[in-house]
Amino acid sequence: CASSRTATGTADDFLRHFSGKQALDPIPLHCLTVEMSLGHLSFVMRNFLAIQIGLAIGYHGYHYQVRAYDAGIACTLAILLTSFTGSAVSKAMMRLQGVVLGNIFGQLMYSTLAWCNVGSYIAVGAVTFAWVVGTMITYFQVPQAASVACLLAAYGVTQLGHQCSDEWGKPSMAMIIDTCIAISIGLILDVGVTVLPLPDGMKVKSASAQAIQNLTRLWESLAEAVGSVLEPGDTATRKHGLKFAKLLQTTKDLGRDAIQEVRCYRAPWKADLMNDVASAASKVWATLNMLEFTASGGVEGGAKTDEFLRVARLLNRHDVPQRLLAEIADISNTMDVFSRDKSVMIGGSMGPTSTMSKMSMESTALVLQDLEAAGVQAVREGASCLTDPECLASAVLEGCLSIEQELSSLHHRVLRER
C-alpha cells in the first residue's frame, strides 16, 4: 500500500513538472547523509526489530493458539511497513479492521465459490476482479478509509488464491491470530519510540506534535505567498498552490489523528480551534488565488500585468502587504496554544477590529487617490475589470481587506484560547 501510494505520488510529481505547474525538488547532493539520518535509522531499526520479534514468536509458537514454524506474523509486519507516524492507536485499529475483515471475507468467498469445476473458476475470477476494483476505488476515492481498503484488497485476494477444493473446510483463525499479534508488536514499538527518551532525530513525534509543526509551516507558506503576490519585483504567479494544498490536507489529517491520541495527563486536543485555523488558512489561500488570477490578467500561470504591478507598488507604499505579513506572523507565534495543557480564557475585547478595518478603508481611498493623481482614468464602459486600472485597484484592495479581516478574526479566536 505504501509503495503504491509512493509510486502514484511520484508519477503525479513528474506530470506536474512536465506540464510546468510545479518544478521537481532538487536531488540532494549528499544522498548518503540523507539516508543515514536519525529519522531513517529509527524507521529501519523499529521495523527490523518488529519483524525479528515476529519471526521468533512464529518459529517457537505457543500451544495451539500460535502455530510453530509459521512466518505469518513476520509477513504481516512486512506488509504493514509504513513511514506514517500519526496516532499509533488509530493506525493499529485501522490495520486491524483491514486485515481481519480481509481474511474473513476472503475465506467466506473462497468457501462459497472455490469448487473444482469450470463454473467455479469463472466465478472466483469474476469475484476477485470485482473485489480488487471495489477496494481500489475506495482506496483512491475515500481517503479516510484508504489504508483499510488496501488491506482488504491484499488479504481478501490472498484467501481467494488458494487451490480449489471439493471438500468442506473449517475457517482458519491462524491468520487472524497472527494479525493480532503482529499489530500488537507494531503498536508497542510505535508507542515506545514516542515516549522513550531517545535523541530528537530518532524520536517519533506524536500526531499532535506534528500537527503543531505543520501549522507553523502552513502560516510560513501563507506569508511567503502573500509577499510573492503583492511584491512588484516578482512578476511570476501560481508558484505555491499545490504545495500549500498538500500541506493543508496533511495538517487536517494529523489534527484528526490527534483527537484519537491517548493524552492521559494532557488537556484534550483543541479540535474546534484546529478546524477554525485550517478553515481560515483555506479562505486566505482562496483569496490569494483570486489575486494571482487578477494579477495575471486572467491567464493561468501568466506574468503579472503592468496595471497590477502599478497597484502593487501603491499598496507597498501604504504598507498594506507589511500589515498582512505582520498579522500572519502574530498568528504563527500563537500556534503554541495547541501544546499547552491548560487554557486561560481571556475575556473582554480582543483587539481593534474596527480600527484595522478603518485602516484598510483609508488605504483604499489613498490608493485610489494616487491612481487619480497619476492620471490613470478608467477605460470606457464595457471593458474588462482586469484591464480597467480603477476597477482592478478596487478588486485587489477588496481582496486584501478580506484577508485582513479573516486574519484578525482568527487572531482574536486563538488569543481567547491562550
Side-chain angles (χ1 to χ4, degrees):
C1 298
S3 298
S4 62
R5 185 180 289 276
T6 302
T8 55
T10 303
D12 288 338
D13 290 341
F14 277 114
L15 290 174
R16 287 193 290 265
H17 175 75
F18 290 123
S19 64
K21 294 182 178 179
Q22 182 180 10
L24 287 173
D25 294 332
I27 299 175
L29 297 178
H30 305 288
C31 294
L32 183 60
T33 303
V34 173
E35 293 301 325
M36 291 302 294
S37 65
L38 290 177
H40 287 85
L41 184 61
S42 172
F43 169 78
V44 171
M45 294 303 297
R46 184 172 71 252
N47 288 287
F48 173 79
L49 183 59
I51 293 174
Q52 294 305 310
I53 294 174
L55 283 172
I57 295 174
Y59 178 80
H60 293 285
Y62 183 78
H63 293 286
Y64 296 104
Q65 286 78 18
V66 182
R67 297 175 299 184
Y69 308 110
D70 178 22
I73 299 174
C75 288
T76 300
L77 286 165
I79 292 174
L80 298 178
L81 282 178
T82 178
S83 58
F84 172 76
T85 52
S87 171
V89 175
S90 172
K91 180 175 64 175
M93 292 300 101
M94 294 185 71
R95 287 174 167 182
L96 191 61
Q97 291 177 46
V99 177
V100 172
L101 290 177
N103 276 299
I104 292 175
F105 278 109
Q107 290 189 36
L108 285 174
M109 291 184 290
Y110 173 81
S111 61
T112 303
L113 302 172
W115 305 101
C116 295
N117 56 66
V118 176
S120 294
Y121 297 154
I122 296 174
V124 169
V127 168
T128 301
F129 177 80
W131 180 260
V132 173
V133 170
T135 51
M136 287 299 97
I137 289 175
T138 305
Y139 176 80
F140 287 108
Q141 299 298 323
V142 187
Q144 297 84 353
S147 59
V148 174
C150 188
L151 293 170
L152 282 171
Y155 282 90
V157 170
T158 299
Q159 296 297 328
L160 284 169
H162 292 163
Q163 186 176 359
C164 68
S165 175
D166 287 329
E167 296 181 1
W168 290 99
K170 295 181 180 179
S172 173
M173 294 294 294
M175 282 294 295
I176 296 177
I177 293 174
D178 289 348
T179 297
C180 293
I181 295 174
I183 291 176
S184 299
I185 294 172
L187 176 62
I188 292 171
L189 291 176
D190 285 345
V191 172
V193 296
T194 303
V195 300
L196 291 177
L198 299 173
D200 289 339
M202 294 188 68
K203 189 172 182 177
V204 177
K205 295 182 179 179
S206 63
S208 56
Q210 293 181 71
I212 296 169
Q213 184 179 17
N214 271 28
L215 283 172
T216 303
R217 292 172 54 199
L218 194 69
W219 290 106
E220 290 174 353
S221 179
L222 277 176
E224 181 185 357
V226 169
S228 173
V229 172
L230 300 178
E231 173 55 49
D234 187 354
T235 60
T237 60
R238 300 289 183 185
K239 299 190 300 184
H240 315 282
L242 293 173
K243 177 181 177 182
F244 177 84
K246 183 177 180 180
L247 182 60
L248 178 62
Q249 186 59 49
T250 303
T251 305
K252 289 180 178 179
D253 293 340
L254 288 169
R256 284 191 290 267
D257 285 334
I259 299 174
Q260 303 175 34
E261 283 183 339
V262 180
R263 300 184 67 84
C264 298
Y265 60 90
R266 295 179 295 171
W269 176 251
K270 298 177 176 65
D272 292 338
L273 181 60
M274 178 72 180
N275 292 334
D276 291 342
V277 172
S279 176
S282 181
K283 291 177 182 177
V284 171
W285 189 254
T287 306
L288 286 174
N289 283 335
M290 181 274 292
L291 289 177
E292 284 195 321
F293 181 79
T294 305
S296 62
V299 179
E300 180 72 24
K304 296 175 183 175
T305 62
D306 293 337
E307 290 82 3
F308 182 87
L309 291 174
R310 179 180 297 181
V311 174
R313 284 191 288 270
L314 293 175
L315 290 174
N316 279 270
R317 182 185 302 173
H318 296 291
D319 297 330
V320 174
Q322 287 74 15
R323 285 209 308 276
L324 295 179
L325 292 174
E327 188 72 16
I328 291 175
D330 289 341
I331 292 175
S332 180
N333 292 333
T334 60
M335 290 298 99
D336 62 342
V337 67
F338 289 97
S339 61
R340 299 190 176 192
D341 292 333
K342 294 183 179 179
S343 298
V344 179
M345 300 296 291
I346 303 177
S349 176
M350 291 306 303
T353 306
S354 58
T355 303
M356 296 183 70
S357 300
K358 182 179 179 182
M359 290 171 62
S360 298
M361 289 186 288
E362 290 176 351
S363 297
T364 302
L366 289 171
V367 172
L368 292 177
Q369 289 175 11
D370 284 350
L371 284 172
E372 185 177 354
V376 176
Q377 300 296 330
V379 298
R380 60 182 177 272
E381 186 177 356
S384 170
C385 189
L386 296 175
T387 57
D388 183 339
E390 189 171 350
C391 181
L392 177 66
S394 298
V396 174
L397 286 167
E398 181 65 27
C400 293
L401 176 61
S402 175
I403 292 175
E404 191 173 45
Q405 290 175 338
E406 191 68 44
L407 293 175
S408 176
S409 176
L410 176 64
H411 195 186
H412 302 157
R413 169 78 171 88
V414 173
L415 287 177
R416 288 183 180 277
E417 292 286 345
R418 298 191 77 188

